[in-house]
Amino acid sequence: YCIDTEKKIDDSDFLYVFEAFTESFRVLPTKNYSMDNFNVYYKNSVIEYADPNGFRGLGNDYSKDKQYIFFKD
């Protein structure tokens, strides 16, 4: 799950990622992003074509991997 750690936490702040590979799942430092060995997630959705190797959040809902730049709103 991903949470916004900059505000008071309640049940509505949790996002459930059902498709994640739990052994490698981790929350990224950039808000709302997480990944496992196979996928990158924004909130609770897979970012299509995103490669976990080299992926990083850029802030303001932008992110990138080795080949693409992504925007999610």
Side-chain angles (χ1 to χ4, degrees):
Y1 57 86
C2 299
I3 59 172
D4 179 353
T5 58
E6 298 175 5
K7 67 177 186 171
K8 184 178 176 184
I9 298 172
D10 64 28
D11 287 341
S12 67
D13 293 313
F14 287 87
L15 300 172
Y16 299 94
V17 181
F18 294 104
E19 300 173 7
F21 184 67
T22 56
E23 292 180 21
S24 64
F25 181 81
R26 63 190 180 278
V27 176
L28 299 176
T30 306
K31 179 179 168 182
N32 295 322
Y33 289 94
S34 57
M35 71 167 60
D36 60 24
N37 286 347
F38 307 101
N39 293 298
V40 178
Y41 306 93
Y42 177 78
K43 296 187 177 179
N44 59 351
S45 299
V46 172
I47 300 176
E48 290 189 46
Y49 309 109
D51 182 355
N53 297 309
F55 183 89
R56 66 185 182 110
L58 301 174
N60 296 322
D61 297 323
Y62 286 92
S63 56
K64 66 177 244 138
D65 65 10
K66 295 177 184 177
Q67 189 172 1
Y68 299 105
I69 295 174
F70 304 94
F71 177 76
K72 291 285 199 176
D73 62 330

